[in-house]
């Protein structure tokens, strides 16, 4: 999902893809990327002595953000060049970070890799003179070479922590958790292991949508970089329709 460019570059300016994991693999193994965080194991607490004539206190639950079951959560990621084999295409843009709509030659890359970079915002280069660097893209900047991925303030994206939203819905810096996963694009409940992965994470809004790509009750969460397989084939590359968000 396209977001705004880093503010150091220019002001202003995941789709559906839920495929089942490979046979005999866990969802994390099939994902081939940075896996969801493991849930921490809390230390056991001593059992307090019951107070005489104690009155049970009602348990209060945190209020959801917005309407319960009213959110759409999409995902975005960083592509890995070695996983793509399309016809190579020359790219021009900015050869450095502080630049906009440059015309410098940046190298040649598989066309299908470039398509994903323009959709997701970043891709890691695995061959040629720019090996190990990132080819990033923004509607307001175009292509540029960088040493990392970038959020809208120029900081590296953090897997299973960075998120994007329309600023009228969730302000920059707002922390949230996904407490209810809702259903996928086919109307089926989100797979238990996949839902658990999203629920373990704690997200912070660090990106803003490009105008026209956000919308009411829509959040976009970053799930990391491809490793051994295309993330478009992972069950974690999905859309959570009717999700519930809560404070973190």
């Amino acid at each position: 999902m396209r977001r705004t460019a880093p503010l150091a570059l220019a002001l202003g300016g995941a789709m559906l893809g839920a495929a089942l994991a490979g046979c005999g693999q866990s969802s994390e193994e099939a994902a081939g990327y940075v896996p969801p965080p493991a849930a921490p194991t809390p230390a056991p607490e001593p059992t307090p002595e019951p107070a005489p004539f104690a009155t049970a206190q009602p348990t209060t639950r945190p209020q959801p953000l917005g309407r319960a079951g009213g959110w759409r959560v999409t995902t975005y990621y960083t592509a890995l060049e070695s996983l793509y084999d399309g016809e190579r295409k020359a790219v021009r843009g900015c050869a450095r970070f502080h630049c906009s709509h440059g015309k410098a030659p940046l190298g040649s890359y598989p066309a299908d890799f470039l398509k994903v970079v323009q959709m997701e915002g970043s891709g890691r280069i695995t061959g040629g003179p720019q090996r190990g660097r990132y080819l990033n893209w923004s509607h307001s900047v175009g292509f540029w070479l960088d040493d990392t991925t970038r959020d809208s303030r120029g900081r590296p994206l953090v897997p299973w922590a960075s998120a994007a939203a329309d600023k009228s819905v969730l302000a920059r810096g707002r922390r949230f958790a996904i407490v209810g996963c809702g259903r996928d694009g086919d109307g089926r409940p989100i797979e238990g292991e996949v839902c658990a992965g999203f629920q373990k994470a704690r997200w912070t809004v660090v990106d803003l949508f490009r105008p026209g790509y956000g919308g009411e009750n829509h959040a976009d969460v970053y799930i990391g970089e491809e490793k051994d397989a295309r993330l478009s084939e992972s069950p974690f590359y999905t859309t959570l329709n009717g999700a519930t968000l809560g404070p973190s």
Side-chain angles (χ1 to χ4, degrees), residues 209-233:
F209 284 125
R210 178 162 66 88
Y213 279 73
E216 186 177 359
N217 298 331
H218 178 195
D220 204 24
V221 295
Y222 179 64
I223 57 175
E225 182 176 303
E226 293 178 321
K227 184 179 178 183
D228 301 317
R230 294 191 186 188
L231 262 173
S232 60
E233 300 169 0

Side-chain angles (χ1 to χ4, degrees), residues 176-191:
F176 67 90
I178 298 172
V179 297
C181 295
R183 297 177 177 272
D184 64 18
D186 295 323
R188 296 172 297 197
I190 300 297
E191 178 186 335

Side-chain angles (χ1 to χ4, degrees), residues 9 94-95 97 132-136 144-150:
L9 296 173
C94 294
F97 178 37
R133 302 193 72 199
Y134 288 83
L135 181 67
N136 296 335
W144 79 93
L145 292 174
D146 208 327
D147 295 322
T148 186
T149 57
R150 300 281 181 184

Side-chain angles (χ1 to χ4, degrees), residues 4-37:
T4 60
L7 296 185
L9 296 173
L11 294 174
M15 303 293 94
L16 299 178
L20 296 177
C23 181
Q25 293 177 302
S26 70
S27 295
E28 292 182 7
E29 290 171 340
Y33 70 115
V34 178

Side-chain angles (χ1 to χ4, degrees), residues 41-193:
T41 303
E45 298 181 359
T47 303
E49 292 291 332
F53 309 109
T55 302
Q57 297 297 316
T59 301
T60 58
R61 294 184 176 181
Q63 291 296 313
L65 298 177
R67 182 170 62 86
W71 288 87
R72 180 168 66 96
V73 180
T74 52
T75 55
Y76 63 108
Y77 62 91
T78 297
L80 188 66
E81 183 191 4
S82 60
L83 299 177
Y84 301 85
D85 56 6
E87 182 179 354
R88 300 189 75 83
K89 180 179 177 182
V91 173
R92 290 182 176 271
C94 294
R96 55 189 174 87
F97 178 37
H98 296 282
C99 170
S100 177
H101 296 293
K103 301 297 182 182
L106 305 182
S108 297
Y109 306 95
D112 48 353
F113 171 69
L114 294 175
K115 182 177 180 180
V116 175
V117 169
Q118 288 184 286
M119 177 66 72
E120 307 299 332
S122 62
R124 185 158 67 86
I125 302 166
T126 58
Q130 303 298 338
R131 180 178 180 180
R133 302 193 72 199
Y134 288 83
L135 181 67
N136 296 335
W137 187 89
S138 169
H139 180 267
S140 63
V141 174
F143 287 107
W144 79 93
L145 292 174
D146 208 327
D147 295 322
T148 186
T149 57
R150 300 281 181 184
D151 66 23
S152 56
R153 285 188 169 172
R155 297 167 298 192
L157 295 172
V158 180
W160 295 93
S162 297
D166 191 305
K167 64 181 179 181
S168 65
V169 178
L170 291 175
R172 190 196 308 275
R174 178 72 198 223
R175 288 175 56 84
F176 67 90
I178 298 172
V179 297
C181 295
R183 297 177 177 272
D184 64 18
D186 295 323
R188 296 172 297 197
I190 300 297
E191 178 186 335
E193 185 179 354

